[in-house]
């Protein structure tokens, strides 16, 4: 049998179904078997689809995806389907008895080459299908007969979708030859049943069935319907879905069996320090569920965003059952611990020392611990500690908890809005914060923070250019008096509510998505300050090419009540308004807008150009123009073993300034 002559029928009733067999016609199954000799098994194609779909998961192009060849399992499923018993009714049984084989037909064709076609007839077609078959035939009475023309005519009749099988017969007459096409119509469709679907609603699937009950089954339309169902599954991420079997019984009932493709389990490789459970708890679907490429992509994003791994590779291995996969996560760990020591000497203070130690993957549990301690010669000089502990999974509901305790004294230098030093003094802050968070959805989390902090004035260090206006309106030169101290130092007790929606593809180097944060803080509760603050921050990332990104950030904050200098909004420096001193502008209100264009310079080196604008003010909803400032600049970031390092130069209306930070920009 020449495969070309049967490709339409095979495509319509078998290709989409992995050797689905319609009753009474074995040639479609033979065609599928013949195609499998030269076409990769469906499982292999599906594995490639997994790899192609998962390729988009790569954060910073570091997540390399691989797919195993699942052809063995898919071929086994195909053979099992092909060997299923075929139900044969009396009509098709008689057809099979009377139908000549293809060799006999081919032997006859040479006898009529070059003769005139006197007439073209159809036998077996009803009044519903015969007009369609006649209209499809490209050869006509009066044409010269050729084998090629006959095969093309048979193909076009097949392509109408109304027939199981077709064979020609010939009658020699004095004028030439009469060609008769014997056709076996598809049965009348009496019912449709779809089984095996669990993730897609049956109503959605039936809505995509264009074949109608009470009409002759059209296999071409049926093929399009199967494709529509597959597209629905694939759109929702179920890329392993296939129709494992399709059959019509003698009564005309069409049964379509769906195999959605199962995630059989997980395997973890490459982790020496990190415990398996730390990786597996980030997986977004459970073993036994239909495999979903979108959830797999999200799982890999979450693993990479932990910050413990330099590379995260996935590989889809065939499972034990047909059309099942095992998702293998292969990680390459990076350094997560930090240790730093600093020392100096002062004639007045003696030896100055500082130590910092931490690990964001403590003992491989995924917990984060940091401790910073400093000490100088005098008890009133720089000294103290800051300790924090974060546990990302307190319970099965993914509750995160963070504890921070601090008791630190250090020298604080204050600057006016012109960037000139006002004064320096020693200040101390002590207390702690505890934060609990719980996901509201896959990308959104709610946080609650309790804070108890006491700020204390220790001693004056340097006047600078200080001229103070006290709360009562009086002018005071030099270091601050008691009225200023009473207004700005004391205990803050507050509760902060925060809702964060984070859809970034990579939290360390985002290229798509965004992050929105809504924050409300209420202070009082027996403390020295009563105030309310509300703020919103929205950051968006737009990929303009494979490795170039535009980042846009907007912020607005509004405060009311007794806000000390340390509770006010602060604008200026690396994290807000580059080109100005840190915390140069303070107020009860703030606004900020930043835009940045990021582009690669070399491996693990990224350049940027940016523009920042904003400011801080008090007493009004919107600022005056002289309270807003702007800057432009350039930056460069490096991906190092200790994390991203960023260096920026910004220039504003007061000159230029260099900023350095560990952790990158927004």
């Amino acid at each position: 049998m020449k495969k070309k002559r049967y490709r339409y029928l095979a495509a319509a009733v078998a290709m989409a179904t992995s050797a689905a067999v319609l009753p009474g016609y074995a040639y479609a199954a033979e065609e599928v078997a013949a195609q499998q000799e030269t076409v990769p098994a469906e499982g292999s194609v599906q594995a490639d689809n997994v790899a192609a779909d998962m390729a988009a998961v790569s954060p910073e192009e570091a997540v390399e995806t691989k797919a195993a060849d699942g052809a063995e399992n898919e071929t086994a499923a195909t053979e099992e389907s092909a060997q299923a018993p075929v139900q044969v009714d009396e009509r098709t049984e008689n057809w099979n008895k009377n139908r000549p084989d293809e060799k006999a037909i081919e032997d006859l064709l040479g006898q009529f080459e070059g003769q005139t076609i006197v007439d073209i007839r159809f036998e077996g077609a009803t009044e519903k299908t015969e007009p369609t078959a006649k209209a499809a035939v490209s050869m006509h009475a009066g044409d010269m007969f050729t084998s090629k023309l006959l095969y093309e005519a048979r193909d076009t009749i097949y392509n109408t979708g109304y027939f199981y099988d077709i064979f020609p017969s010939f009658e020699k007459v004095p004028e030439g030859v009469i060609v008769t096409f014997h056709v076996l119509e598809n049965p009348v469709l009496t019912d449709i049943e779809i089984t095996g679907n669990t993730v897609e609603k049956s109503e959605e699937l039936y809505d995509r069935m264009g074949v109608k009950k009470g009409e002759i089954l059209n296999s071409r339309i049926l093929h399009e319907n199967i494709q529509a169902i597959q597209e629905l599954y694939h759109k929702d991420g179920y890329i392993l879905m296939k129709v494992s079997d399709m059959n019509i019984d003698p009564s005309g009932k069409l049964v379509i069996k769906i195999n959605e493709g199962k995630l059989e389990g997980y395997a973890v490789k490459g982790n020496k320090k990190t415990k398996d459970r730390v990786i597996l708890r980030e997986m977004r679907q459970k073993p036994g569920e239909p495999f979903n490429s979108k959830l797999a992509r999200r799982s890999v994003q979450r693993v990479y965003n932990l910050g413990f791994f330099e590379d995260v590779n996935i590989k889809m291995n065939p499972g034990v059952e047909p059309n099942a996969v095992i998702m293998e996560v292969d990680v390459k760990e990076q350094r997560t611990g930090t240790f730093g020591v600093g020392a100096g000497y002062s004639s007045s203070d003696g030896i100055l020392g500082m130590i910092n130690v931490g690990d964001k993957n403590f003992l491989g549990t995924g917990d984060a611990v940091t401790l910073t301690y400093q000490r100088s010669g005098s008890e009133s000089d720089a000294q103290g500690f800051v300790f924090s502990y974060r546990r990302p999974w307190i319970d099965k509901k993914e509750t995160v908890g963070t504890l921070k305790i601090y008791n630190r004294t250090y020298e604080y230098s204050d600057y006016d809005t012109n960037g000139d030093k006002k004064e320096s003094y020693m200040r101390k802050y002590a207390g702690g914060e505890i934060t609990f968070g719980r996901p509201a959805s896959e990308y959104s989390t709610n946080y609650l923070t309790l804070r108890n902090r006491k700020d204390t004035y220790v001693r004056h260090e340097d006047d600078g250019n200080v001229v103070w206006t006290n709360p009562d309106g009086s002018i005071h030169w030099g270091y601050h008096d008691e009225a200023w101290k009473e207004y700005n130092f004391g205990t803050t007790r507050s509760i902060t509510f925060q809702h964060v929606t984070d859809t970034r593809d990579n939290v360390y180097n985002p290229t798509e998505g965004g992050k929105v944060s809504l924050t409300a803080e209420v202070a009082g509760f027996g403390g020295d300050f009563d105030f309310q603050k509300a703020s919103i921050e929205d950051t968006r990332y737009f990929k303009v090419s494979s490795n170039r990104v535009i980042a846009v950030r907007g912020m607005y904050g509004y405060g009311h009540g007794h806000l000390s200098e340390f509770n006010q909004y602060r604008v200026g420096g690396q994290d807000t308004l580059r080109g100005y001193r840190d915390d140069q502008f303070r107020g009860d209100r703030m606004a900020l807008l930043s835009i940045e264009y990021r582009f690669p310079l070399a491996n693990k080196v990224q350049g940027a150009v940016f523009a920042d604008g904003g400011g801080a003010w008090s007493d009004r909803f919107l600022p005056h123009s002289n309270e807003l400032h702007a800057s432009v600049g350039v930056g460069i970031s490096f991906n190092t073993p200790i994390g991203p390092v960023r260096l920026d130069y910004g220039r504003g209306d007061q000159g230029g300034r260099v900023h350095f930070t560990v952790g990158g920009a927004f």
Side-chain angles (χ1 to χ4, degrees), residues 184-204:
L184 177 63
E185 287 182 340
N186 293 338
V188 174
L189 188 61
T190 60
D191 195 12
I192 303 174
E193 180 182 357
I194 301 176
T195 63
N197 57 301
T198 62
V199 294
E200 299 291 357
K201 296 181 179 179
S202 296
E203 294 79 5
E204 291 283 337

Side-chain angles (χ1 to χ4, degrees), residues 414-490:
D414 199 6
Y415 296 86
D416 60 24
T417 56
N418 294 321
D420 299 324
K421 184 177 180 180
K422 290 196 297 187
E423 69 164 349
S424 295
Y425 56 90
M426 300 298 296
R427 63 173 291 226
K428 176 182 179 180
Y429 66 93
E433 303 171 12
I434 184 168
T435 300
F436 292 101
R438 177 170 288 180
S441 65
E442 177 58 36
Y443 295 96
S444 298
T445 305
N446 296 321
Y447 296 95
L448 174 66
T449 299
L450 307 177
R451 176 165 67 121
N452 186 83
R453 168 173 168 155
K454 183 176 183 180
D455 291 277
T456 306
Y457 180 89
V458 179
R459 72 169 186 271
H460 183 73
E461 292 291 331
D462 182 18
D463 282 349
N465 67 350
V466 65
V467 178
W468 293 104
T469 300
N470 293 323
D472 60 3
S474 62
I475 302 298
H476 180 80
W477 290 78
Y479 59 87
H480 298 302
D481 59 14
E482 293 302 320
W484 176 83
K485 295 177 185 177
E486 182 178 351
Y487 191 84
N488 289 290
F489 293 90

Side-chain angles (χ1 to χ4, degrees), residues 58 97-98 107 125 182 190 218 243 279 299 364 374 397 431 445 449 464 480 509 570 599 623-624:
S58 165
K97 291 179 180 179
N98 298 323
D107 291 342
H182 302 263
T190 60
N218 188 301
V243 175
I279 298 172
S299 300
Q374 61 180 5
K397 295 185 177 181
T445 305
T449 299
H480 298 302
N509 185 25
R570 303 180 180 194
F599 51 90
H624 291 311

Side-chain angles (χ1 to χ4, degrees), residues 531-549:
F531 63 83
Q532 302 83 42
K533 294 171 65 178
S535 61
I536 180 173
E537 178 178 359
D538 190 357
T539 307
R540 297 289 159 182
Y541 304 91
F542 305 94
K543 183 185 293 187
V544 294
S545 68
S546 60
N547 50 13
R548 288 173 169 78
V549 177

Side-chain angles (χ1 to χ4, degrees), residues 65 118 242 264 360 410 433 463 538 552 568 628 630 660 665:
T65 60
V118 177
K242 68 174 185 177
E264 204 163 80
K360 60 183 178 181
Y410 70 103
E433 303 171 12
D463 282 349
D538 190 357
V552 181
Q568 286 182 316
L628 295 177
F660 174 81

Side-chain angles (χ1 to χ4, degrees), residues 641-655:
I642 63 172
V645 174
R646 177 75 181 247
L647 185 67
D648 286 322
Y649 174 79
R651 189 169 186 84
D653 53 26
Q654 298 173 5

